Amino acid sequence: MKLLSVLLFCTILSICHGYRILGLFPFNGKSHFMMFEELMKILARRGHQVDVISTFPLKKPYPNYNDLIVLPTKRQFMNNMTYEEIEIFFATSLVQAVATVGGNDICEFLNHSQMQQLIRNPPNDPPYDAVIIEIFGSPCFAIFGDILKVPVIGASSATLYPWTYDCIANPDNLAFAPSNLVAYPQNMNFWQRMYNFVNTIYTKWTFKTLTAKQTDILRKYVSPDAPDIEEVEKKISIILGNSHISINGIKHTTPAYIEVGGLHINDDEVELPHSLEKWMNESTHGFVYFSFGSMVKIESFPMKILNIFYNSMSKISPVRVLMKIAKSDELPPGLPKNVHVLPWVPQIKVLKHKNVKAFITHGGLMGTQEAIQYGVPLIGIPLFADQFVNIDNYVRLNIAIGLKIDTLTEEKMDHALNSILNDPKYRDTAKELSKKFVDRPLSAADTAIYWVEYIIRNGANALRSPAMDLTWWQVELVDVITFILIATIAALYIIMTAIQFLFNLTRSSDSNELRKKKIS
């Protein structure tokens, strides 16, 4: 009873002293928002009042969570991305897509009527204590730190992209830490390090060139005196990143980069349909889970590829297959009898089930982290964006078999299924990686809460790196190295000149002595 009273008192105290936090997540990507929604719910459960601006309003009310502004969308991507669109996306430069579609275009939401009202008349009763924004392609929203006069906290649903390092002066570590846009191991050879360096520099330059337009957007919709976009993004106090050393390797990081990989993994509010639970329990020979995420329509794939899936899946019977298919009526005939199709799947509960044997995935970071948490090996068939790098990384970690959609054959699919189901090394390695992934001093949720509250308590500059005040050439000690080289060359020149002078002096003296001897 005494313990209950203490807990109740702490809960009331937390609610009474809760902060008001604004979450700004305008990008229309459900896989991104999964992390941000859970972050805001975690803060709401802590007793803070959270207001959220996004394109994904909650379906059910949630205590302390308010959908402040629901932004419109031009195109609904949920379960609606066709194979043809994937091919177009595949041919598009990722940095260009992020900078424009995920960046400049998103910043235009600053002209939305409700956003303008928030900009011109921010609330003061109570005022906000912090703003959390997505770190992706639109640093323009960091301007709300100035508007609301509060710290700006960043959240990235992926590992840091090259162009985001400068926001918090995070070291690049290009000698041993490959960019998340290249599929290299940490032990790179000379040519890989060369490409990693050149690609990173080019990517940063491209992104900054394309997003320079965001300065004009800010001056148009916020204030004619708004600072340059590069100055605005430096308002970010910390970044909560969806990474972890067990998966992404060891890197030098500033304290302002906080790893919270797997933050979104929580199924407490998700109900498992009785019929699906019964099907999984009755899958005594095990089952394979097959999903390409929240966007891709598997049913839109060419018949050639679908036939490969059909034929290979039928061969592993009596092992069953659970497929997430949004519109099963659009699937061509021929689906094997051991395949069960559902339009929606409570993915975490499926991956936690004792009978799941493997996960066929496109390599999205959220889904694969869920599989890693529960020790489920993968068959990766990446389609776009960071999925290629993710799957290559998991292959190196020995928890996945990688396939390519454009060179997929029935023989390759057969081999992948037989290997992942029958070779124990994949499951054993996945279980070991799972232990490392969850072995932390604090959970991802508790880590995120602590550092968000830390910044609010201690101010926006509490973890600001001194490198933020230096130019790139000062950070890399180019000026120091140049001075040392010049000083060394100057010293060598003086020494050589002195030696030459002494040599000439000695030679002249010897010559004079020789002449004197000849005269005498």
Side-chain angles (χ1 to χ4, degrees):
M1 187 68 184
K2 184 177 180 181
L3 177 61
L4 182 61
S5 300
V6 171
L7 290 174
L8 182 60
F9 174 76
C10 291
T11 302
I12 294 172
L13 188 66
S14 174
I15 293 172
C16 291
H17 291 81
Y19 299 118
R20 187 177 186 184
I21 300 170
L22 175 66
L24 267 163
F25 313 110
F27 180 67
N28 184 32
K30 181 62 176 178
S31 59
H32 292 223
F33 190 69
M34 286 170 59
M35 175 184 174
F36 309 139
E37 180 182 328
E38 185 59 26
L39 172 60
M40 302 311 282
K41 284 182 175 179
I42 289 168
L43 292 167
R45 289 196 295 270
R46 178 77 171 187
H48 304 306
Q49 173 62 46
V50 299
D51 294 336
V52 179
I53 300 173
S54 75
T55 60
F56 298 100
L58 295 183
K59 295 179 180 178
K60 297 180 181 179
Y62 198 88
N64 297 335
Y65 187 117
N66 172 41
D67 284 306
L68 183 68
I69 301 174
V70 179
L71 297 170
T73 58
K74 295 180 181 178
R75 166 81 158 81
Q76 180 56 258
F77 284 102
M78 280 281 290
N79 299 315
N80 205 27
M81 192 172 190
T82 66
Y83 186 81
E84 289 75 17
E85 289 175 315
I86 292 170
E87 289 183 310
I88 294 171
F89 198 103
F90 182 81
T92 305
S93 163
L94 178 61
V95 62
Q96 182 177 1
V98 174
T100 54
V101 179
N104 299 343
D105 294 352
I106 302 298
C107 291
E108 291 290 336
F109 276 128
L110 289 169
N111 193 37
H112 186 275
S113 58
Q114 289 177 284
M115 292 287 280
Q116 281 291 303
Q117 185 176 354
L118 178 63
I119 292 168
R120 307 303 170 195
N121 299 293
N124 292 310
D125 189 24
Y128 285 110
D129 297 290
V131 57
I132 302 177
I133 67 170
E134 177 176 9
I135 301 299
F136 190 50
S138 52
C140 58
F141 291 102
I143 195 68
F144 275 88
D146 286 347
I147 294 170
L148 303 175
K149 296 179 174 53
V150 296
V152 180
I153 294 167
S156 174
S157 62
T159 55
L160 286 187
Y161 286 102
W163 52 84
T164 58
Y165 278 63
D166 293 342
C167 297
I168 53 173
N170 202 62
D172 283 301
N173 308 314
L174 298 176
F176 68 91
S179 156
N180 69 341
L181 299 179
V182 297
Y184 289 156
Q186 285 207 302
N187 296 324
M188 294 178 283
N189 61 36
F190 172 79
W191 296 112
Q192 288 172 330
R193 284 185 287 116
M194 172 72 79
Y195 181 80
N196 188 42
F197 172 76
V198 173
N199 178 266
T200 299
I201 298 301
Y202 174 75
T203 298
K204 285 186 174 185
W205 176 81
T206 302
F207 182 84
K208 290 184 182 299
T209 300
L210 292 172
T211 56
K213 179 182 178 183
Q214 294 184 24
T215 298
D216 298 329
I217 294 173
L218 289 175
R219 290 173 180 171
K220 182 178 180 181
Y221 299 137
V222 178
S223 168
D225 300 322
D228 290 346
I229 190 62
E230 290 189 21
E231 290 302 314
V232 171
E233 66 184 10
K234 290 180 181 179
K235 305 288 184 181
I236 298 167
S237 298
I238 60 170
I239 296 177
L240 305 174
N242 192 20
S243 63
H244 189 258
I245 55 172
S246 63
I247 301 173
N248 306 107
I250 294 172
K251 300 177 174 67
H252 292 158
T253 57
T254 173
Y257 181 67
I258 317 295
E259 288 197 308
V260 292
L263 176 70
H264 70 287
I265 302 176
N266 175 24
D267 67 340
D268 292 344
E269 302 167 30
V270 180
E271 293 184 7
L272 178 63
H274 177 71
S275 57
L276 175 57
E277 184 177 21
K278 182 173 182 293
W279 182 90
M280 291 192 295
N281 289 339
E282 292 175 350
S283 300
T284 53
H285 293 279
F287 68 91
V288 174
Y289 175 49
F290 189 162
S291 171
F292 279 169
S294 60
M295 295 170 58
V296 176
K297 289 182 66 177
I298 297 177
E299 56 270 35
S300 72
F301 280 40
M303 192 65 216
K304 175 185 175 182
I305 295 175
L306 290 176
N307 275 333
I308 292 172
F309 293 150
Y310 284 6
N311 295 337
S312 291
M313 290 188 298
S314 68
K315 293 174 188 175
I316 64 172
S317 183
V319 175
R320 291 172 159 186
V321 179
L322 173 63
M323 286 187 77
K324 176 189 168 293
I325 301 291
K327 298 179 180 178
S328 58
D329 58 319
E330 295 183 13
L331 277 174
L335 193 70
K337 293 181 180 180
N338 64 323
V339 178
H340 183 50
V341 174
L342 289 174
W344 173 82
V345 174
Q347 185 161 284
I348 296 176
K349 291 191 180 295
V350 168
L351 292 171
K352 288 170 64 174
H353 197 275
K354 62 181 180 178
N355 289 336
V356 67
K357 299 293 184 184
F359 180 18
I360 301 175
T361 172
H362 62 317
L365 189 56
M366 300 297 179
T368 54
Q369 283 180 341
E370 291 164 9
I372 289 169
Q373 172 124 345
Y374 299 108
V376 181
L378 311 166
I379 294 177
I381 310 175
L383 303 174
F384 52 84
D386 64 344
Q387 297 160 15
F388 298 92
V389 175
N390 293 340
I391 294 301
D392 283 342
N393 186 33
Y394 301 147
V395 169
R396 281 193 296 272
L397 292 171
N398 222 19
I399 64 167
I401 296 172
L403 299 172
K404 295 181 179 179
I405 194 70
D406 55 341
T407 60
L408 189 65
T409 64
E410 190 172 327
E411 290 74 23
K412 291 178 180 179
M413 193 71 204
D414 289 347
H415 180 265
L417 281 167
N418 289 328
S419 298
I420 210 77
L421 291 172
N422 300 315
D423 189 339
K425 73 177 182 181
Y426 294 104
R427 178 164 288 273
D428 291 346
T429 308
K431 293 294 184 186
E432 286 300 314
L433 183 59
S434 172
K435 292 177 184 178
K436 294 178 183 177
F437 186 61
V438 300
D439 188 0
R440 315 181 190 192
L442 290 173
S443 69
D446 289 337
T447 301
I449 287 172
Y450 176 81
W451 288 108
V452 168
E453 294 178 344
Y454 179 91
I455 288 297
I456 295 174
R457 288 194 305 268
N458 296 291
N461 294 327
L463 295 178
R464 191 177 190 274
S465 170
M468 297 287 287
D469 300 319
L470 302 176
T471 62
W472 70 267
W473 45 270
Q474 289 173 317
V475 172
E476 300 298 334
L477 294 177
V478 173
D479 53 343
V480 174
I481 294 170
T482 301
F483 175 80
I484 292 173
L485 285 174
I486 293 173
T488 302
I489 292 170
L492 288 173
Y493 175 77
I494 292 170
I495 291 170
M496 292 302 296
T497 302
I499 291 172
Q500 183 69 39
F501 174 78
L502 292 172
F503 177 76
N504 291 337
L505 186 63
T506 304
R507 189 175 177 185
S508 175
S509 176
D510 290 343
S511 179
N512 290 335
E513 286 293 327
L514 184 61
R515 281 198 298 270
K516 286 180 181 179
K517 287 181 181 180
K518 286 181 179 181
I519 294 172
S520 62

